[in-house]
Amino acid sequence: MPRVSREQADLNRAAIENVSAKLFREKGFNGVSVADLMAAAGLTHGGFYGHFSSKDELAAAACAQAFSHASERWEKRVSDAKDERSALQTIVDNYLAHKNITDIGNTCPGPSLAVDVAREPLDKPVHAAYLAGTRELLEILASLCPSDDAAMRRQTALAQWSTMVGAMMLARATRGDPLADEILAAARLHLTTHSAV
């Protein structure tokens, strides 16, 4: 059997990471098998270990990729905005949009992976990936706070992040009931009227 070119191997790895980032957010780490992930990527199960040493390594890579995409979206919204206030408004409105209640696989991994990551032992590589991604998004939020006090900017960003992630988790848990939209609306209002922006 001919060997796959380096370029094709890189494309295959990227496909596995893309599919895994989506499916892990939708179904959790334990809700999808390596065979399921490889099939969704259009590859055979046997090729998995040519790319990753374990499912744990893939979970970390997929988590990092999902946060990277979230960060890119946020950075674009910041650069397209006229000022920090409108940038925050755009981030909050997009993050807490009703469609994100069910479009879990294409949204920020913050709320969709939080419980799974919390259940993993601390030595699993996904913890470091989740932490790094969270820190990156917190830095973006902190950059939107007009305070000259670094500690205040960080505290504001932590409160904003916690509100956004918590609101989306609760809205997903109450989906199908008007309460879900009430939670999102209340969080949006709080974040855009009570934040230090």
Side-chain angles (χ1 to χ4, degrees), residues 10-33:
D10 290 345
L11 290 172
N12 290 348
R13 181 182 172 98
I16 297 165
E17 287 181 9
N18 285 333
V19 163
S20 299
K22 180 175 174 48
L23 291 177
F24 283 146
R25 281 179 281 177
E26 289 176 351
K27 300 180 180 195
F29 298 141
N30 296 321
V32 60
S33 69

Side-chain angles (χ1 to χ4, degrees), residues 79-184:
S79 69
D80 289 348
K82 62 180 179 172
D83 56 30
E84 287 85 3
R85 178 184 279 281
S86 60
L88 178 63
Q89 182 77 50
T90 302
I91 287 171
V92 168
D93 286 347
N94 281 281
Y95 200 97
L96 298 176
H98 174 83
K99 70 177 180 62
N100 293 338
I101 293 174
T102 55
D103 191 21
I104 299 170
N106 294 310
T107 61
C108 177
S112 53
L113 295 181
V115 173
D116 279 311
V117 172
R119 288 183 176 143
E120 292 291 316
L122 286 177
D123 63 346
K124 297 286 183 165
V126 74
H127 277 279
Y130 191 93
L131 185 58
T134 295
R135 285 186 168 143
E136 191 170 352
L137 295 181
L138 282 168
E139 285 178 20
I140 294 170
L141 287 172
S143 76
L144 301 178
C145 180
S147 174
D148 291 331
D149 182 350
M152 175 58 72
R153 286 194 307 272
R154 180 160 176 84
Q155 183 179 40
T156 300
L158 287 165
Q160 291 167 335
W161 174 246
S162 299
T163 301
M164 290 164 62
V165 170
M168 186 52 66
M169 290 176 77
L170 291 170
R172 287 174 178 168
T174 59
R175 72 184 179 279
D177 189 275
L179 179 60
D181 285 321
E182 287 182 74
I183 289 168
L184 295 181

